[in-house]
Amino acid sequence: MATAAATSASEPEAEPKAGPKAEGEEEEVKAARTRRKVLSRAVAAATCKTMGPGWDQQEEGMSESDGDEEYAMASSAESSPGEYEWEYDEEEEKNQLEIERLEEQLSINVYDYNCHVDLIRLLRLEGELTKVRMARQKMSEIFPLTEELWLEWLHDEISMALDGLDREHVYDLFEKAVKDYICPNIWLEYGQYSVGGIGQKGGLEKVRSVFERALSSVGLHMTKGLAIWEAYREFESAIVEAARLEKVHSLFRRQLAIPLYDMEATFAEYEEWSEDPIPESVIQSYNKALQQLEKYKPYEEALLQAEAPRLAEYQAYIDFEVKIGDPARIQLIFERALVENCLVPDLWIRYSQYLDRHLKVKDLVLSVHNRAVRNCPWTVALWTRYLLAMERHGVDHRVISDSSKELEELRAAFTRALEYLKQEVEERFNESGDPSCMIMQNWARMEARLCNNMQKARELWDSIMTKGNAKYANMWLEYYNLERAHGDTQHCRKALHRAVQCTSDYPEHVCEVLLTMERTEGTLEDWDVAVQKTETRLARVNEQRIKAAEKEAALTQQEEEKAEQRKRARAQKKALKKKKKTRGGDKRKADEGEEKEWGDDEEEQPSKRRRLGNSVPPAGDAQGLEAQMGLFGKSAPGDVDSPSKQKERAAALKRDMPKVLHDSSKDSITVFVSNLPYSMGEPAAQLRPLFEACGEVVDVRPIFSSRGDFRGYCYVEFKEERSAQQALELDRKDVEGRPMFVSPCVDKSKNPDFKVFRYSTALEKHKLFVSGLPFSCTKEELEEICKAHGTVKDIRLVTNRAGKPKGLAYVEYENESQASQAVLKMDGMTIKENVIKVAISNPPQRKVPEKPEARRAPGGPMVPRQMYGARGKGRTQLSLLPRALQRTSAPAAQAENGPAPQPAATAATEAPKMSNADFAKLLLRK
């Protein structure tokens, strides 16, 4: 642990180079250097003693005789300078310069963690034990130290502890070390060191107290807790007393009841050590612990295989422990995760939140909050939780008689907080530590409410607005409310006039507040000024929005044009490729045409014949096909029926299926249920209990396909109409993971325009539309966020037909003012890394689909669908009418009361026949 100091001590001694200095000064420098080297060698020797006989000096390049010689050389300081001595001097001078630089750097910025570590390393290397102790003390006051730094410090102090006072000092260091993080190695060192003081007064009780605390802290550690148990057992076994045997038995039984690695070896050791047979209760506890170990192994193995900091693996482990609910194990896994992820604020927040809500132990809760702000001092949420925890547990506040002094200290605290955010967060991390200026808002509120100092509050709000918040309506309204409560009407009017000019997100709302105030409290002149100013501002805002919309439309049009160009280019490329392919195919056909037999032209593919003829080949053709396949050495599988047999079987199955009859006269007592899972085995039996809660059910008629599969909808007939109306309330109820749709039973042929939609499609000012929600957001989580801005009457999460969330929701408030306030506060809020959008509910009008009778040919009357076939006009259909006839033909004028003109194709078919000479004249005329 003190290898650096030992290495430094093992180097040869060097004397200062002879020069023009006075002889007295030269001897003083030699003596100071000699003292440092002696201290350094003392650290190395003490470390060797602490590490035990396993520490080999030969491996470090220093024998025992060499050490004695160098120690004598250091004591006499009379050696002549040599090559190694000059090198040592240069290295020492270089280290001294680096130490001075680091000390100067820390005087500028005491929060530089790396500077602290480097300074401690160099001071320890130079043997400056007093300075090393002071540097470590300063660092521990600012930062929590890691396990490596604590062990290094403790080993150095242990090596220099000579009497009882020094031992007490080491005990105090151990107490500080175990509070920073839960480290099994530090607890093990603590227990072993306390064993060395067993001869002192109260030494035996001290050792047991340390080991018992170690077991409470890390005894449940799956991989490292075993060492603590074994050390405690070895200590108790070493005490030769009859009463101690029962203590060892107790330790074995306690350990075997906890799931730890290598439990089997511990059980075998207990069997070998115990003279009596192991009790049955101990064996049962051991077997139960083994079963628990199997559950924990996947998470422990995931930690062993992953690389630090293993945050995702720890998060999964924490979720598993929270689900089981053992507080001791939950606390341990949080502590293990924080050893490697101490700079993750979310992990500290989750840990402190668990302690606040479940354990509620004052010392434990406050200790964790204190450690959290020491590890992540830049996180406002951790400080807020710490203050709330201290207030919740009744921490004593310092009583100050002078109220003015108390006020000045409070103002100084606000000032220090702002300076800290500016220097330590904004300048170092290039991020705003308080983007909404909550600290300055609270300060202004305190000045206005408690000190009646509105002038200071206005100055603070001016600073808030200059930090980029002047464009937000909610900030201006917060300032206006403060002036309204503690200021005067003139400053309220001034604030709202400034808000009208500066607000860019919701200027309409600010204008409405200004007009409301002038309507109730202002004069006619004030009203006219406010109306003129708001109209001018809103007109300018509308112009800006129109320009922005036009710009967006232009960009959209450009994108569409580019897409159209790419589409045309692809079409041209495809046509050129098809043309080349057609030429190659024609050439191959010409080469193969001579080899074709005359009967090959009449052959036709069976698949094409079935598609075009829409018929099934007769049995004779099927037999002929089988004969041909046999002729060429192929045979059809024997278990496959012909298409005609398959069609007959399907028709017979369809005839055998019972048809679901529905009486339209019973529509008033019948509901139509849809969107049910297709996997329901017995729909009628499963749905009947659900609907019987609404009234007596006469019949449940599920609909099946021709193959007997459930099609996902059914009819439910009740005895009374009141029951059917009550059943409509079951709409959107979850059934096997899907929302069930329940609607009135209406004959669509008689009411084609009937639509069932439960919710309003018009503007609802008291209802909000929320989009961009994470799919994992639940109704309860959203309600917890929304109820902070008013009374929430209802929340509806929008899902698809499969019941999966779409990231949308409707939130209904008690009145319009609460909804407006919620829009200002929630729009742009981040929920689980998703930025949501919030607006007043105003669904767009649905486009009415074009009716079939409105479909007409371009530039002409309606074209019947039948004249183009079932699929309409084909894209590759060619006109067989010459262009000359198309140009000369003109659409007949439609008489006011005459018949409708015939389509162009019909007119062409009825044109008089023309000879070849007539066609030649037409072409020559062109």
Side-chain angles (χ1 to χ4, degrees):
M1 306 303 170
T3 53
T7 305
S8 174
S10 65
E11 294 182 0
E13 169 198 284
E15 286 187 338
K17 185 178 179 181
K21 293 184 178 181
E23 185 176 356
E25 296 179 357
E26 197 170 319
E27 292 178 357
E28 186 177 350
V29 171
K30 288 181 180 179
R33 185 176 300 146
T34 301
R35 285 195 299 271
R36 286 198 300 270
K37 293 177 181 178
V38 170
L39 290 173
S40 179
R41 286 165 175 77
V43 172
T47 304
C48 174
K49 182 180 178 182
T50 304
M51 297 300 292
W55 187 73
D56 191 359
Q57 288 182 342
Q58 298 294 336
E59 293 181 359
E60 299 289 23
M62 185 181 75
S63 65
E64 197 173 60
S65 60
D66 292 339
D68 294 339
E69 291 176 3
E70 290 187 3
Y71 188 81
M73 291 169 64
S75 302
S76 62
E78 294 177 353
S79 300
S80 60
E83 179 181 356
Y84 295 103
E85 295 172 356
W86 288 116
E87 292 180 358
Y88 188 86
D89 278 341
E90 292 176 359
E91 185 68 23
E92 185 180 15
E93 184 177 0
K94 182 179 178 182
N95 290 342
Q96 289 296 331
L97 292 175
E98 182 65 15
I99 289 172
E100 293 176 1
R101 187 191 70 80
L102 291 173
E103 289 177 344
E104 182 180 359
Q105 181 69 22
L106 288 176
S107 65
I108 298 173
N109 181 15
V110 74
Y111 294 100
D112 193 332
Y113 185 89
N114 294 326
C115 277
H116 282 284
V117 175
D118 294 340
L119 178 61
I120 292 171
R121 178 181 57 81
L122 288 176
L123 290 174
R124 191 168 182 270
L125 185 65
E126 290 297 312
E128 301 283 355
L129 300 182
T130 304
K131 291 185 177 181
V132 169
R133 183 178 291 172
M134 293 177 60
R136 285 167 170 164
Q137 187 67 29
K138 288 181 180 179
M139 184 178 180
S140 66
E141 292 174 357
I142 301 173
F143 299 105
L145 304 187
T146 62
E147 180 181 1
E148 294 78 11
L149 292 175
W150 271 118
L151 288 175
E152 185 181 74
W153 188 0
L154 290 167
H155 288 151
D156 289 349
E157 295 292 343
I158 290 172
S159 65
M160 294 183 293
L162 301 176
D163 53 12
L165 294 177
D166 292 339
R167 178 171 289 275
E168 291 297 326
H169 173 65
V170 175
Y171 283 154
D172 293 339
L173 282 182
F174 270 114
E175 290 296 331
K176 292 181 179 179
V178 297
K179 290 179 181 178
D180 276 351
Y181 303 106
I182 287 187
C183 301
N185 293 333
I186 294 180
W187 277 110
L188 187 60
E189 288 283 342
Y190 194 5
Q192 292 174 347
Y193 180 72
S194 63
V195 172
I198 193 173
Q200 297 180 351
K201 183 179 179 181
L204 181 60
E205 290 75 11
K206 176 69 175 179
V207 176
R208 287 177 177 156
S209 173
V210 170
F211 273 116
E212 287 294 338
R213 290 171 57 199
L215 292 180
S216 300
S217 180
V218 295
L220 297 177
H221 200 297
M222 299 281 292
T223 56
K224 297 182 179 180
L226 180 64
I228 306 293
W229 288 99
E230 291 180 346
Y232 195 6
R233 284 205 318 272
E234 290 175 3
F235 166 73
E236 293 292 348
S237 300
I239 302 176
V240 184
E241 293 181 17
R244 302 282 75 80
L245 295 178
E246 184 60 31
K247 186 71 174 179
V248 177
H249 275 290
S250 175
L251 287 174
F252 267 118
R253 294 168 184 172
R254 288 167 60 188
Q255 180 181 352
L256 290 175
I258 298 173
L260 297 173
Y261 273 35
D262 296 333
M263 290 186 63
E264 297 82 356
T266 304
F267 187 78
E269 182 182 353
Y270 186 29
E271 285 183 324
E272 182 180 354
W273 182 85
S274 177
E275 298 177 356
D276 301 327
I278 300 177
E280 185 65 26
S281 59
V282 176
I283 297 177
Q284 291 178 0
S285 301
Y286 168 70
N287 292 330
K288 184 178 179 181
L290 280 178
Q291 295 176 0
Q292 293 177 350
L293 180 63
E294 294 300 322
K295 297 180 181 179
Y296 288 109
K297 271 187 177 180
Y299 298 96
E300 292 290 344
E301 291 173 356
L303 290 175
L304 293 174
Q305 295 173 2
E307 296 181 358
R310 304 178 285 192
L311 180 59
E313 289 76 14
Y314 276 119
Q315 292 280 16
Y317 205 161
I318 291 171
D319 293 338
F320 174 73
E321 290 286 11
V322 170
K323 187 177 180 181
I324 293 178
D326 187 350
R329 300 198 67 89
I330 294 173
Q331 182 184 354
L332 177 64
I333 191 59
F334 268 117
E335 294 288 352
R336 289 177 61 184
L338 288 169
V339 171
E340 298 183 14
N341 300 275
C342 58
L343 301 180
V344 181
D346 292 341
L347 192 59
W348 283 107
I349 290 174
R350 187 178 180 187
Y351 185 22
S352 60
Q353 186 177 10
Y354 172 79
L355 295 178
D356 288 335
R357 295 180 178 178
H358 295 87
L359 294 187
K360 301 179 182 180
V361 180
K362 177 180 177 179
D363 295 337
L364 177 61
V365 170
L366 295 181
S367 172
V368 170
H369 279 290
N370 184 32
R371 292 163 53 205
V373 297
R374 290 187 66 202
N375 281 275
C376 305
W378 60 87
T379 307
V380 179
L382 290 176
W383 286 101
T384 305
R385 290 176 175 273
Y386 190 15
L387 294 173
L388 291 174
M390 287 192 291
E391 183 176 0
R392 189 178 296 115
H393 291 281
V395 176
D396 294 335
H397 298 277
R398 186 172 55 186
V399 179
I400 302 176
S401 58
D402 188 358
S403 60
S404 61
K405 184 179 179 181
E406 182 180 6
L407 180 60
E408 291 302 323
E409 288 188 356
L410 181 58
R411 287 172 175 165
F414 277 118
T415 305
R416 289 198 307 271
L418 295 176
E419 291 177 355
Y420 176 81
L421 288 176
K422 182 179 180 181
Q423 296 177 3
E424 302 299 327
V425 179
E426 295 178 8
E427 294 180 3
R428 292 181 60 184
F429 300 100
N430 294 323
E431 292 184 3
S432 177
D434 189 10
S436 300
C437 299
M438 295 302 299
I439 295 178
M440 296 182 71
Q441 288 189 43
N442 289 328
W443 188 1
R445 200 174 292 116
M446 182 271 298
E447 293 285 355
R449 180 182 175 185
L450 302 179
C451 305
N452 295 323
N453 190 355
M454 278 302 299
Q455 183 62 31
K456 181 64 176 178
R458 293 179 184 120
E459 292 176 1
L460 290 170
W461 268 104
D462 286 340
S463 300
I464 292 173
M465 293 305 180
T466 56
K467 293 182 179 294
N469 294 303
K471 58 183 178 180
Y472 299 117
N474 63 328
M475 301 298 287
W476 283 108
L477 294 179
E478 192 73 28
Y479 178 32
Y480 166 74
N481 291 331
L482 184 68
E483 285 284 1
R484 188 80 172 171
H486 306 286
D488 51 39
T489 305
Q490 187 63 29
H491 283 90
C492 289
R493 181 177 292 109
K494 185 178 179 181
L496 288 178
H497 279 282
R498 291 174 59 192
V500 169
Q501 295 298 327
C502 300
T503 303
S504 59
D505 55 351
Y506 293 101
E508 296 88 351
H509 195 66
V510 176
C511 293
E512 183 180 354
V513 174
L514 175 59
L515 293 177
T516 302
M517 190 196 75
E518 297 295 359
R519 184 182 295 112
T520 56
E521 299 185 11
T523 63
L524 181 59
E525 291 77 9
D526 296 333
W527 168 261
D528 293 336
V529 172
V531 170
Q532 183 179 359
K533 184 167 289 190
T534 54
E535 289 179 351
T536 304
R537 175 59 179 165
L538 293 179
R540 191 182 307 119
V541 169
N542 289 332
E543 290 178 2
Q544 294 174 356
R545 290 175 179 174
I546 291 173
K547 290 181 180 179
E550 291 176 352
K551 185 177 180 180
E552 185 177 358
L555 292 175
T556 304
Q557 186 176 0
Q558 291 178 3
E559 292 295 331
E560 291 178 354
E561 291 176 355
K562 290 180 181 179
E564 188 65 26
Q565 291 177 1
R566 291 193 294 268
K567 186 177 180 180
R568 286 197 297 266
R570 286 196 298 268
Q572 292 176 1
K573 187 175 180 181
K574 187 175 181 181
L576 182 61
K577 188 175 181 181
K578 186 176 181 181
K579 187 175 181 181
K580 291 180 180 179
K581 186 176 180 181
T582 304
R583 289 178 180 176
D586 294 342
K587 187 175 180 180
R588 286 195 299 271
K589 285 182 180 180
D591 295 338
E592 297 173 358
E594 298 177 359
E595 301 177 2
K596 275 193 174 185
E597 296 182 0
W598 64 271
D600 294 343
D601 299 338
E602 299 176 0
E603 292 181 0
E604 188 176 295
Q605 296 294 335
S607 61
K608 293 184 179 179
R609 181 185 303 170
R610 284 197 299 271
R611 189 186 308 126
L612 296 176
N614 197 18
S615 60
V616 181
D621 292 347
Q623 294 175 1
L625 181 60
E626 293 175 1
Q628 290 180 9
M629 294 178 70
L631 179 63
F632 290 101
K634 300 179 182 179
S635 60
D639 56 345
V640 178
D641 295 334
S642 63
S644 59
K645 292 183 178 180
Q646 293 179 1
K647 189 172 182 180
E648 292 175 0
R649 185 182 295 107
L653 182 61
K654 189 172 182 180
R655 286 193 304 269
D656 296 339
M657 286 296 300
K659 294 185 178 180
V660 179
L661 301 177
H662 175 64
D663 188 358
S664 300
S665 62
K666 297 182 179 180
D667 285 349
S668 60
I669 58 174
T670 306
V671 294
F672 179 68
V673 184
S674 59
N675 201 45
L676 294 169
Y678 298 142
S679 59
M680 295 183 70
E682 296 290 338
Q686 292 178 247
L687 293 175
R688 181 178 289 273
L690 182 63
F691 285 96
E692 282 180 345
C694 304
E696 183 178 352
V697 177
V698 177
D699 189 18
V700 178
R701 300 189 295 277
I703 310 301
F704 295 91
S705 66
S706 59
R707 292 178 296 180
D709 299 329
F710 180 51
R711 299 185 63 181
Y713 57 93
C714 68
Y715 295 94
V716 179
E717 182 182 341
F718 292 92
K719 188 175 182 180
E720 298 179 356
E721 184 176 352
R722 178 166 52 87
S723 303
Q725 294 297 326
Q726 187 176 354
L728 296 177
E729 299 296 328
L730 297 177
D731 187 36
R732 310 284 172 167
K733 183 177 180 60
D734 186 88
V735 176
E736 295 187 6
R738 291 175 65 93
M740 176 181 67
F741 298 162
V742 183
S743 58
C745 189
V746 178
D747 190 355
K748 291 292 186 69
S749 61
K750 299 179 181 179
N751 299 283
D753 298 330
F754 178 78
K755 295 289 183 181
V756 178
F757 193 70
R758 296 175 53 191
Y759 308 103
S760 174
T761 58
L763 174 64
E764 295 178 281
K765 295 185 178 181
H766 65 288
K767 185 181 292 186
L768 303 184
F769 173 68
V770 185
S771 60
L773 289 169
F775 293 152
S776 60
C777 182
T778 62
K779 182 177 179 180
E780 291 75 16
E781 293 174 345
L782 183 59
E783 184 178 3
E784 188 70 22
I785 296 172
C786 296
K787 71 179 183 182
H789 312 295
T791 304
V792 178
K793 295 180 64 178
D794 185 34
I795 291 181
R796 177 168 63 93
L797 295 179
V798 182
T799 61
N800 58 14
R801 296 182 67 88
K804 304 297 182 181
K806 299 173 69 175
L808 309 175
Y810 288 91
V811 182
E812 183 179 355
Y813 279 95
E814 193 172 30
N815 51 50
E816 298 178 11
S817 61
Q818 293 180 358
S820 301
Q821 190 70 13
V823 169
L824 296 175
K825 296 288 185 181
M826 294 174 56
D827 189 35
M829 179 186 292
T830 301
I831 299 178
K832 296 182 180 180
E833 301 181 356
N834 284 36
V835 179
I836 66 172
K837 294 182 180 180
V838 183
I840 299 297
S841 177
N842 187 16
Q845 296 295 328
R846 292 178 175 269
K847 294 183 179 180
V848 180
E850 185 181 2
K851 295 185 179 181
E853 55 267 17
R855 185 170 59 244
R856 296 178 178 274
M862 180 183 68
V863 180
R865 182 182 182 90
Q866 288 76 9
M867 63 182 300
Y868 295 127
R871 297 189 179 183
K873 186 174 182 180
R875 292 178 60 187
T876 58
Q877 186 174 359
L878 300 178
S879 175
L880 301 180
L881 190 66
R883 286 193 296 271
L885 292 179
Q886 290 181 357
R887 283 200 303 269
T888 55
S889 62
Q894 184 177 0
E896 186 176 354
N897 298 323
Q902 298 295 325
T906 306
T909 55
E910 295 178 358
K913 295 183 179 180
M914 301 178 67
S915 63
N916 293 338
D918 295 332
F919 278 107
K921 290 179 182 180
L922 290 173
L923 294 174
L924 291 175
R925 187 186 308 167
K926 180 180 179 183

